[in-house]
Amino acid sequence: MGYSSNEMKREYNNECKEQRMKNLIKLREEIANTSQIGLIRVLGFTKNDISELENGTRNLSLYHIQAYKKYFREHHNMEISVDFLMGYTDIMENQKMNIGAET
């Protein structure tokens, strides 16, 4: 696979979409313990944003990534990894970034 924009998008959707959907729902339901409406109120997303992000019809924008990271850092003392948000991994926190919390 090459590095063209279309190839990268296709590869990302094929490999990461399902995990990304699971990860976003897990953050909302298990960590934030809230509904889509509850998360919308805190993050300022629209109902369509949350719905489309969680059902895989929309990819995360830089704004979405920043909002998720800031919210979970400030309200749940967690450093959510960008790889987790994007669906590259099921490892939620960037442990290296959270070393200070452990010491």
Side-chain angles (χ1 to χ4, degrees), residues 4 16 18 28 35 43 45 49 53-54 64 71-72 76-78 80-81 87 92 95 98 102:
S4 77
C16 301
E18 186 174 329
R28 179 179 55 77
S35 65
L43 297 179
F45 295 173
D49 284 340
L53 289 170
E54 289 187 0
H64 293 125
Y71 170 76
F72 284 96
H76 299 281
N77 196 30
M78 298 177 74
I80 303 299
S81 77
M92 192 177 296
Q95 294 300 319
N98 210 15
E102 297 172 7

PDB file of all heavy atoms in Angstrom, residues 4 16 18 28 35 43 45 49 53-54 64 71-72 76-78 80-81 87 92 95 98 102:
ATOM      1  N   SER A   4      -0.668   7.538  -0.950  1.00  0.00           N
ATOM      2  CA  SER A   4      -1.605   8.504  -1.514  1.00  0.00           C
ATOM      3  C   SER A   4      -2.748   8.702  -0.518  1.00  0.00           C
ATOM      4  O   SER A   4      -3.051   7.824   0.289  1.00  0.00           O
ATOM      5  CB  SER A   4      -2.156   8.028  -2.863  1.00  0.00           C
ATOM      6  OG  SER A   4      -3.146   7.046  -2.669  1.00  0.00           O
ATOM      7  N   CYS A  16      -9.137   0.334  11.055  1.00  0.00           N
ATOM      8  CA  CYS A  16      -9.324   1.013  12.340  1.00  0.00           C
ATOM      9  C   CYS A  16     -10.755   1.423  12.674  1.00  0.00           C
ATOM     10  O   CYS A  16     -11.042   1.746  13.822  1.00  0.00           O
ATOM     11  CB  CYS A  16      -8.443   2.260  12.386  1.00  0.00           C
ATOM     12  SG  CYS A  16      -6.692   1.906  12.176  1.00  0.00           S
ATOM     13  N   GLU A  18     -13.749  -0.049  13.026  1.00  0.00           N
ATOM     14  CA  GLU A  18     -14.500  -0.790  14.045  1.00  0.00           C
ATOM     15  C   GLU A  18     -13.924  -0.562  15.439  1.00  0.00           C
ATOM     16  O   GLU A  18     -14.667  -0.333  16.393  1.00  0.00           O
ATOM     17  CB  GLU A  18     -14.499  -2.287  13.720  1.00  0.00           C
ATOM     18  CG  GLU A  18     -15.386  -3.085  14.656  1.00  0.00           C
ATOM     19  CD  GLU A  18     -15.480  -4.549  14.231  1.00  0.00           C
ATOM     20  OE1 GLU A  18     -15.399  -4.839  13.032  1.00  0.00           O
ATOM     21  OE2 GLU A  18     -15.631  -5.376  15.141  1.00  0.00           O
ATOM     22  N   ARG A  28     -17.232   6.984  26.439  1.00  0.00           N
ATOM     23  CA  ARG A  28     -18.465   7.652  26.854  1.00  0.00           C
ATOM     24  C   ARG A  28     -19.230   6.855  27.900  1.00  0.00           C
ATOM     25  O   ARG A  28     -19.629   7.389  28.931  1.00  0.00           O
ATOM     26  CB  ARG A  28     -19.362   7.920  25.640  1.00  0.00           C
ATOM     27  CG  ARG A  28     -20.676   8.604  26.018  1.00  0.00           C
ATOM     28  CD  ARG A  28     -21.540   8.899  24.827  1.00  0.00           C
ATOM     29  NE  ARG A  28     -21.838   7.762  23.987  1.00  0.00           N
ATOM     30  CZ  ARG A  28     -22.732   6.806  24.277  1.00  0.00           C
ATOM     31  NH1 ARG A  28     -23.411   6.846  25.408  1.00  0.00           N
ATOM     32  NH2 ARG A  28     -22.952   5.814  23.439  1.00  0.00           N
ATOM     33  N   SER A  35     -24.582   9.560  28.607  1.00  0.00           N
ATOM     34  CA  SER A  35     -25.243   9.326  27.317  1.00  0.00           C
ATOM     35  C   SER A  35     -24.588  10.199  26.250  1.00  0.00           C
ATOM     36  O   SER A  35     -23.756  11.053  26.558  1.00  0.00           O
ATOM     37  CB  SER A  35     -26.723   9.706  27.433  1.00  0.00           C
ATOM     38  OG  SER A  35     -26.833  11.098  27.668  1.00  0.00           O
ATOM     39  N   LEU A  43     -18.817  18.562  25.724  1.00  0.00           N
ATOM     40  CA  LEU A  43     -17.834  18.793  24.664  1.00  0.00           C
ATOM     41  C   LEU A  43     -18.258  19.849  23.655  1.00  0.00           C
ATOM     42  O   LEU A  43     -17.418  20.364  22.916  1.00  0.00           O
ATOM     43  CB  LEU A  43     -17.540  17.482  23.924  1.00  0.00           C
ATOM     44  CG  LEU A  43     -16.906  16.371  24.747  1.00  0.00           C
ATOM     45  CD1 LEU A  43     -16.687  15.134  23.882  1.00  0.00           C
ATOM     46  CD2 LEU A  43     -15.615  16.819  25.387  1.00  0.00           C
ATOM     47  N   PHE A  45     -20.136  19.243  21.084  1.00  0.00           N
ATOM     48  CA  PHE A  45     -20.379  18.607  19.793  1.00  0.00           C
ATOM     49  C   PHE A  45     -21.871  18.685  19.490  1.00  0.00           C
ATOM     50  O   PHE A  45     -22.685  18.900  20.364  1.00  0.00           O
ATOM     51  CB  PHE A  45     -19.991  17.127  19.810  1.00  0.00           C
ATOM     52  CG  PHE A  45     -18.518  16.835  19.996  1.00  0.00           C
ATOM     53  CD1 PHE A  45     -18.106  15.531  20.161  1.00  0.00           C
ATOM     54  CD2 PHE A  45     -17.553  17.818  20.010  1.00  0.00           C
ATOM     55  CE1 PHE A  45     -16.775  15.209  20.325  1.00  0.00           C
ATOM     56  CE2 PHE A  45     -16.218  17.520  20.187  1.00  0.00           C
ATOM     57  CZ  PHE A  45     -15.822  16.212  20.333  1.00  0.00           C
ATOM     58  N   ASP A  49     -22.544  14.939  15.330  1.00  0.00           N
ATOM     59  CA  ASP A  49     -21.124  14.643  15.551  1.00  0.00           C
ATOM     60  C   ASP A  49     -20.963  13.334  16.314  1.00  0.00           C
ATOM     61  O   ASP A  49     -20.284  12.415  15.854  1.00  0.00           O
ATOM     62  CB  ASP A  49     -20.425  15.746  16.365  1.00  0.00           C
ATOM     63  CG  ASP A  49     -20.112  16.991  15.586  1.00  0.00           C
ATOM     64  OD1 ASP A  49     -20.067  16.930  14.340  1.00  0.00           O
ATOM     65  OD2 ASP A  49     -19.896  18.038  16.224  1.00  0.00           O
ATOM     66  N   LEU A  53     -19.659   9.871  14.730  1.00  0.00           N
ATOM     67  CA  LEU A  53     -18.365   9.388  15.206  1.00  0.00           C
ATOM     68  C   LEU A  53     -18.500   7.967  15.756  1.00  0.00           C
ATOM     69  O   LEU A  53     -17.675   7.095  15.472  1.00  0.00           O
ATOM     70  CB  LEU A  53     -17.790  10.316  16.283  1.00  0.00           C
ATOM     71  CG  LEU A  53     -17.304  11.673  15.810  1.00  0.00           C
ATOM     72  CD1 LEU A  53     -17.002  12.576  16.999  1.00  0.00           C
ATOM     73  CD2 LEU A  53     -16.087  11.531  14.904  1.00  0.00           C
ATOM     74  N   GLU A  54     -19.544   7.746  16.538  1.00  0.00           N
ATOM     75  CA  GLU A  54     -19.712   6.440  17.178  1.00  0.00           C
ATOM     76  C   GLU A  54     -20.229   5.365  16.224  1.00  0.00           C
ATOM     77  O   GLU A  54     -20.029   4.185  16.484  1.00  0.00           O
ATOM     78  CB  GLU A  54     -20.620   6.556  18.406  1.00  0.00           C
ATOM     79  CG  GLU A  54     -19.949   7.282  19.540  1.00  0.00           C
ATOM     80  CD  GLU A  54     -20.748   7.260  20.834  1.00  0.00           C
ATOM     81  OE1 GLU A  54     -21.854   6.671  20.870  1.00  0.00           O
ATOM     82  OE2 GLU A  54     -20.264   7.853  21.820  1.00  0.00           O
ATOM     83  N   HIS A  64     -12.084  17.337  17.347  1.00  0.00           N
ATOM     84  CA  HIS A  64     -12.668  16.250  18.126  1.00  0.00           C
ATOM     85  C   HIS A  64     -11.608  15.600  19.024  1.00  0.00           C
ATOM     86  O   HIS A  64     -11.848  15.349  20.205  1.00  0.00           O
ATOM     87  CB  HIS A  64     -13.270  15.168  17.218  1.00  0.00           C
ATOM     88  CG  HIS A  64     -14.451  15.608  16.439  1.00  0.00           C
ATOM     89  ND1 HIS A  64     -14.506  15.499  15.075  1.00  0.00           N
ATOM     90  CD2 HIS A  64     -15.633  16.154  16.820  1.00  0.00           C
ATOM     91  CE1 HIS A  64     -15.672  15.957  14.643  1.00  0.00           C
ATOM     92  NE2 HIS A  64     -16.372  16.368  15.687  1.00  0.00           N
ATOM     93  N   TYR A  71     -11.113  16.882  27.765  1.00  0.00           N
ATOM     94  CA  TYR A  71     -12.175  16.481  28.681  1.00  0.00           C
ATOM     95  C   TYR A  71     -11.718  15.348  29.597  1.00  0.00           C
ATOM     96  O   TYR A  71     -11.893  15.430  30.819  1.00  0.00           O
ATOM     97  CB  TYR A  71     -13.425  16.053  27.899  1.00  0.00           C
ATOM     98  CG  TYR A  71     -14.452  15.399  28.787  1.00  0.00           C
ATOM     99  CD1 TYR A  71     -15.242  16.164  29.641  1.00  0.00           C
ATOM    100  CD2 TYR A  71     -14.603  14.017  28.810  1.00  0.00           C
ATOM    101  CE1 TYR A  71     -16.170  15.573  30.491  1.00  0.00           C
ATOM    102  CE2 TYR A  71     -15.530  13.411  29.641  1.00  0.00           C
ATOM    103  CZ  TYR A  71     -16.298  14.190  30.487  1.00  0.00           C
ATOM    104  OH  TYR A  71     -17.207  13.591  31.327  1.00  0.00           O
ATOM    105  N   PHE A  72     -11.131  14.299  29.045  1.00  0.00           N
ATOM    106  CA  PHE A  72     -10.746  13.162  29.876  1.00  0.00           C
ATOM    107  C   PHE A  72      -9.544  13.481  30.764  1.00  0.00           C
ATOM    108  O   PHE A  72      -9.422  12.937  31.853  1.00  0.00           O
ATOM    109  CB  PHE A  72     -10.532  11.907  29.017  1.00  0.00           C
ATOM    110  CG  PHE A  72     -11.848  11.319  28.594  1.00  0.00           C
ATOM    111  CD1 PHE A  72     -12.400  11.620  27.359  1.00  0.00           C
ATOM    112  CD2 PHE A  72     -12.578  10.518  29.457  1.00  0.00           C
ATOM    113  CE1 PHE A  72     -13.639  11.118  26.979  1.00  0.00           C
ATOM    114  CE2 PHE A  72     -13.825  10.013  29.101  1.00  0.00           C
ATOM    115  CZ  PHE A  72     -14.350  10.311  27.857  1.00  0.00           C
ATOM    116  N   HIS A  76     -11.354  13.296  34.256  1.00  0.00           N
ATOM    117  CA  HIS A  76     -11.136  11.903  34.663  1.00  0.00           C
ATOM    118  C   HIS A  76      -9.663  11.598  34.919  1.00  0.00           C
ATOM    119  O   HIS A  76      -9.296  10.441  35.128  1.00  0.00           O
ATOM    120  CB  HIS A  76     -11.703  10.949  33.602  1.00  0.00           C
ATOM    121  CG  HIS A  76     -13.182  11.124  33.428  1.00  0.00           C
ATOM    122  ND1 HIS A  76     -14.104  10.587  34.298  1.00  0.00           N
ATOM    123  CD2 HIS A  76     -13.895  11.814  32.503  1.00  0.00           C
ATOM    124  CE1 HIS A  76     -15.319  10.924  33.913  1.00  0.00           C
ATOM    125  NE2 HIS A  76     -15.215  11.677  32.836  1.00  0.00           N
ATOM    126  N   ASN A  77      -8.816  12.640  34.892  1.00  0.00           N
ATOM    127  CA  ASN A  77      -7.383  12.501  35.160  1.00  0.00           C
ATOM    128  C   ASN A  77      -6.755  11.395  34.312  1.00  0.00           C
ATOM    129  O   ASN A  77      -5.995  10.574  34.807  1.00  0.00           O
ATOM    130  CB  ASN A  77      -7.133  12.250  36.649  1.00  0.00           C
ATOM    131  CG  ASN A  77      -5.693  12.497  37.023  1.00  0.00           C
ATOM    132  OD1 ASN A  77      -5.015  13.319  36.419  1.00  0.00           O
ATOM    133  ND2 ASN A  77      -5.217  11.769  38.015  1.00  0.00           N
ATOM    134  N   MET A  78      -7.113  11.364  33.035  1.00  0.00           N
ATOM    135  CA  MET A  78      -6.606  10.352  32.114  1.00  0.00           C
ATOM    136  C   MET A  78      -5.961  11.010  30.907  1.00  0.00           C
ATOM    137  O   MET A  78      -6.463  12.019  30.407  1.00  0.00           O
ATOM    138  CB  MET A  78      -7.746   9.453  31.621  1.00  0.00           C
ATOM    139  CG  MET A  78      -8.434   8.676  32.709  1.00  0.00           C
ATOM    140  SD  MET A  78      -9.810   7.713  32.043  1.00  0.00           S
ATOM    141  CE  MET A  78      -8.894   6.411  31.214  1.00  0.00           C
ATOM    142  N   ILE A  80      -5.716  10.126  27.485  1.00  0.00           N
ATOM    143  CA  ILE A  80      -6.187   9.249  26.425  1.00  0.00           C
ATOM    144  C   ILE A  80      -5.258   9.402  25.225  1.00  0.00           C
ATOM    145  O   ILE A  80      -4.987  10.515  24.778  1.00  0.00           O
ATOM    146  CB  ILE A  80      -7.637   9.600  26.013  1.00  0.00           C
ATOM    147  CG1 ILE A  80      -8.579   9.535  27.214  1.00  0.00           C
ATOM    148  CG2 ILE A  80      -8.111   8.700  24.879  1.00  0.00           C
ATOM    149  CD1 ILE A  80      -8.668   8.188  27.877  1.00  0.00           C
ATOM    150  N   SER A  81      -4.783   8.285  24.696  1.00  0.00           N
ATOM    151  CA  SER A  81      -3.856   8.358  23.565  1.00  0.00           C
ATOM    152  C   SER A  81      -4.609   8.661  22.271  1.00  0.00           C
ATOM    153  O   SER A  81      -5.766   8.257  22.093  1.00  0.00           O
ATOM    154  CB  SER A  81      -3.067   7.055  23.425  1.00  0.00           C
ATOM    155  OG  SER A  81      -3.849   6.040  22.845  1.00  0.00           O
ATOM    156  N   GLY A  87      -8.481   4.603  16.873  1.00  0.00           N
ATOM    157  CA  GLY A  87      -8.773   3.194  16.646  1.00  0.00           C
ATOM    158  C   GLY A  87      -7.587   2.341  16.249  1.00  0.00           C
ATOM    159  O   GLY A  87      -7.748   1.200  15.852  1.00  0.00           O
ATOM    160  N   MET A  92      -5.955   2.344  26.139  1.00  0.00           N
ATOM    161  CA  MET A  92      -6.622   3.623  26.334  1.00  0.00           C
ATOM    162  C   MET A  92      -5.686   4.782  26.675  1.00  0.00           C
ATOM    163  O   MET A  92      -5.774   5.848  26.078  1.00  0.00           O
ATOM    164  CB  MET A  92      -7.658   3.475  27.447  1.00  0.00           C
ATOM    165  CG  MET A  92      -8.600   4.626  27.562  1.00  0.00           C
ATOM    166  SD  MET A  92      -9.857   4.356  28.834  1.00  0.00           S
ATOM    167  CE  MET A  92     -10.738   2.954  28.174  1.00  0.00           C
ATOM    168  N   GLN A  95       0.572   5.706  28.831  1.00  0.00           N
ATOM    169  CA  GLN A  95       1.179   5.563  30.151  1.00  0.00           C
ATOM    170  C   GLN A  95       2.412   6.437  30.332  1.00  0.00           C
ATOM    171  O   GLN A  95       2.662   6.947  31.401  1.00  0.00           O
ATOM    172  CB  GLN A  95       1.525   4.091  30.423  1.00  0.00           C
ATOM    173  CG  GLN A  95       0.304   3.204  30.527  1.00  0.00           C
ATOM    174  CD  GLN A  95      -0.639   3.626  31.647  1.00  0.00           C
ATOM    175  OE1 GLN A  95      -0.215   3.977  32.736  1.00  0.00           O
ATOM    176  NE2 GLN A  95      -1.927   3.593  31.351  1.00  0.00           N
ATOM    177  N   ASN A  98       1.506   9.704  31.580  1.00  0.00           N
ATOM    178  CA  ASN A  98       0.825   9.694  32.874  1.00  0.00           C
ATOM    179  C   ASN A  98       1.768   9.315  34.021  1.00  0.00           C
ATOM    180  O   ASN A  98       1.307   9.039  35.104  1.00  0.00           O
ATOM    181  CB  ASN A  98      -0.366   8.730  32.805  1.00  0.00           C
ATOM    182  CG  ASN A  98      -1.479   9.155  33.727  1.00  0.00           C
ATOM    183  OD1 ASN A  98      -1.509  10.282  34.204  1.00  0.00           O
ATOM    184  ND2 ASN A  98      -2.403   8.235  33.989  1.00  0.00           N
ATOM    185  N   GLU A 102       1.595   8.696  38.702  1.00  0.00           N
ATOM    186  CA  GLU A 102       1.942   7.471  39.425  1.00  0.00           C
ATOM    187  C   GLU A 102       2.979   7.709  40.520  1.00  0.00           C
ATOM    188  O   GLU A 102       3.139   6.894  41.408  1.00  0.00           O
ATOM    189  CB  GLU A 102       2.481   6.429  38.440  1.00  0.00           C
ATOM    190  CG  GLU A 102       1.444   6.011  37.416  1.00  0.00           C
ATOM    191  CD  GLU A 102       2.029   5.135  36.328  1.00  0.00           C
ATOM    192  OE1 GLU A 102       3.215   4.750  36.454  1.00  0.00           O
ATOM    193  OE2 GLU A 102       1.316   4.828  35.374  1.00  0.00           O
TER     194      GLU A 102
END
